[in-house]
Amino acid sequence: MKFSEYIKDKILICLLHLLCMILLMGFFYITGYNRNAAALILIFWWIILGIWIVTGYYRRKKYFDRAEHILENVDQRYLLGELLPASPYLEDRIYRELIRRSNKSVIERIRMLEDEQNDYRDYIESWVHEIKAPITSIQLVCENHKDEVTRQIGLENQRIENDVDMVLYYARMEKVYKDYMIEETDLGKAASEILMKNKYYLISNGVRGEVECPDLAYTDKKWILFILNQLMLNSVKYKSENPKVHPYIHIYTERYGHGVRLIVEDNGTGIREEEMSRIFEKGFTGSNGRNGKKSTGMGLYLCRRLCEKLGIAIEAESVRGEGTKMILTFPVSSYLSKM
C-alpha cells in the first residue's frame, strides 16, 4: 500500500478538517480573537492531523503487509479468511467474516467437484477393466485363426488396446502413488516385451526393432512399459516417408555415474527445432501431427507427467529429417547397490 493511495482514501476526512479550520478561523476573525493564538491553534491542529494520518498509514500498511505475506506463503490461498490477523477495526472484522463465509462456500463447491471427479475417474477405471475382457478375447481369436483378415483385426484391436491404456493411465495419473511399486527392473526385458507386444504393428509398417539394454534400474515396471509403448508408437507413427530409408527403432541404455539412461532412437521424420520446447505440452501435435497422422498430443504429455511422478527425467533430441532420440534418465540404478 502506497502513502499516496492512503491519502486518496482519506481525502474526505482531510477536506472535512480543512473546512473546520476555515470555519474556526472565520469565527475567530468575527469575534476578534487574538491572531497569534489562532495561528498557534491552527499549527497544532495541522501537527496532530499529520501525526494521525502518518500513524494510521503505518498501522494499516503493517496489517496489509502481514496479510499479503500470509497469502504469498500459504498453499491454499482460498483459506486467507481463516488466516487473516486480528484487527481492532470494525471494518476489518466485518470484511474478514465476509471472506470466511465466501471461502466456506468455495471450499464446499471444490469438495463437490472433487467428489464428482473422483466418481468419474472410478467409473472410467471400471469401464477400462470391463473393456479389457473383449479386447483380450478378440486377440485370442486372432491368434487361434491366423489369416490376413484376422491379422488386420488384430492390428486394429491393438490400437484400441493402446488407446484404452492411455485413458486408464490418464485417469490414474494424479493418484500414481497408489498404484506403483519401485523395484529393480530389467530394462532389456521391458523393451523386448514392448516390441513383442507390437510385433505385428511393427511388421505391417516395415519397422525393424533392436534392443541393447543390459542395464537395470529401480522403477515401476508397469508404468515404464506404458511409457516405452507410447514412445515406440510415436516412432512408428512418424517413421520416414522416404522409400530409401529403412525404418528402425533402437532401444538401448547408457550408464552415467550411479544411474542409467534409456534411449529410444529412430530414423523417422524428426521434430522441427522450433517445436522441441512444446512437444511435452498437453494437446500439442506439431506439424507432424497435423499432416494426416491423427495425433491427439496426449502421448508425450502423459509420458512427461508419469516420469515426473516416478522421478525420471525425460528429454528429446531430434534433427528434422534424420530421426529422434527420447531419453529417460533414471537417477538411481543397480550399480549404486554394488558399491
Side-chain angles (χ1 to χ4, degrees):
M1 183 175 65
K2 297 179 180 179
F3 185 71
S4 59
E5 295 173 340
Y6 181 77
I7 290 296
K8 288 180 181 178
D9 185 63
K10 300 296 182 182
I11 191 67
L12 291 178
I13 295 179
C14 292
L15 290 175
L16 177 62
H17 277 273
L18 181 60
L19 178 62
C20 291
M21 291 178 188
I22 293 173
L23 292 175
L24 183 61
M25 291 302 105
F27 175 78
F28 285 162
Y29 178 77
I30 294 173
T31 57
Y33 195 77
N34 185 277
R35 291 185 178 182
N36 293 332
L40 188 62
I41 291 174
L42 190 63
I43 291 171
F44 274 102
W45 193 334
W46 275 111
I47 292 174
I48 294 172
L49 179 60
I51 294 174
W52 177 77
I53 291 175
V54 172
T55 303
Y57 167 72
Y58 280 107
R59 291 182 65 182
R60 301 305 287 161
K61 186 176 185 302
K62 182 179 179 181
Y63 177 81
F64 288 117
D65 285 348
R66 186 178 174 189
E68 186 174 355
H69 177 74
I70 292 173
L71 183 63
E72 291 296 328
N73 289 276
V74 68
D75 292 331
Q76 299 172 332
R77 295 188 173 185
Y78 55 83
L79 296 177
L80 179 63
E82 305 292 334
L83 303 174
L84 277 175
S87 172
Y89 296 98
L90 176 62
E91 287 184 356
D92 291 341
R93 295 198 295 270
I94 293 175
Y95 289 146
R96 181 182 180 184
E97 183 59 29
L98 291 175
I99 292 173
R100 290 176 64 181
R101 288 163 61 184
S102 176
N103 288 349
K104 182 179 178 181
S105 177
V106 171
I107 292 171
E108 291 175 353
R109 178 62 177 169
I110 291 173
R111 184 176 293 112
M112 183 179 69
L113 292 175
E114 287 179 345
D115 290 340
E116 291 177 358
Q117 189 178 42
N118 290 333
D119 290 341
Y120 180 72
R121 184 184 294 112
D122 292 340
Y123 168 74
I124 290 296
E125 289 190 26
S126 63
W127 176 85
V128 168
H129 288 300
E130 290 295 328
I131 205 68
K132 283 277 190 177
I135 288 175
T136 303
S137 298
I138 293 172
Q139 183 179 357
L140 290 174
V141 170
C142 292
E143 289 288 339
N144 294 328
H145 302 81
K146 291 184 179 181
D147 56 38
E148 188 59 31
V149 175
T150 56
R151 186 175 292 107
Q152 289 299 320
I153 293 174
L155 287 174
E156 295 302 318
N157 189 60
Q158 185 65 53
R159 289 181 58 187
I160 294 173
E161 184 178 9
N162 289 331
D163 290 339
V164 168
D165 283 340
M166 185 178 293
V167 172
L168 176 62
Y169 281 84
Y170 184 81
R172 290 179 173 178
M173 183 170 55
E174 297 302 326
K175 295 184 177 180
V176 63
Y177 60 90
K178 292 185 177 180
D179 191 45
Y180 77 95
M181 179 169 50
I182 300 298
E183 59 184 355
E184 191 175 71
T185 302
D186 189 323
L187 298 178
K189 289 183 179 180
S192 298
E193 185 175 334
I194 289 301
L195 293 183
M196 286 299 297
K197 175 184 177 181
N198 296 277
K199 60 181 178 180
Y200 295 124
Y201 183 58
L202 293 170
I203 293 171
S204 65
N205 284 275
V207 179
R208 175 170 52 89
E210 297 179 1
V211 174
E212 294 183 65
C213 303
D215 300 309
L216 308 174
Y218 287 109
T219 188
D220 181 88
K221 182 180 179 181
K222 183 173 65 173
W223 294 87
I224 286 300
L225 287 174
F226 173 79
I227 294 171
L228 283 176
N229 191 59
Q230 292 301 313
L231 298 181
M232 189 278 302
L233 292 176
N234 273 3
S235 294
V236 177
K237 182 185 295 185
Y238 302 117
K239 66 178 183 177
S240 177
E241 301 296 337
N242 188 343
K244 296 181 180 180
V245 175
H246 301 288
Y248 72 85
I249 299 174
H250 186 199
I251 306 176
Y252 59 98
T253 55
E254 293 179 350
R255 301 183 187 183
Y256 77 97
H258 301 304
V260 167
R261 293 187 182 93
L262 177 62
I263 302 168
V264 180
E265 181 179 2
D266 64 61
N267 61 342
T269 58
I271 305 168
R272 295 180 185 271
E273 183 178 356
E274 62 271 19
E275 296 176 352
M276 287 294 293
S277 60
R278 300 187 59 194
I279 60 174
F280 294 108
E281 292 181 7
K282 184 178 181 179
F284 180 74
T285 58
S287 57
N288 289 334
R290 290 190 291 269
N291 292 332
K293 299 297 184 179
K294 298 181 180 180
S295 175
T296 62
M298 294 298 295
L300 289 181
Y301 167 75
L302 274 175
C303 290
R304 179 180 64 84
R305 290 297 305 275
L306 294 177
C307 284
E308 289 175 354
K309 300 290 184 181
L310 295 173
I312 301 170
I314 182 171
E315 58 184 322
E317 296 178 1
S318 183
V319 177
R320 183 67 175 175
E322 295 184 13
T324 302
K325 287 183 180 181
M326 303 301 300
I327 306 170
L328 302 176
T329 302
F330 299 85
V332 179
S333 75
S334 59
Y335 309 111
L336 184 60
S337 63
K338 296 178 182 179
M339 293 186 62

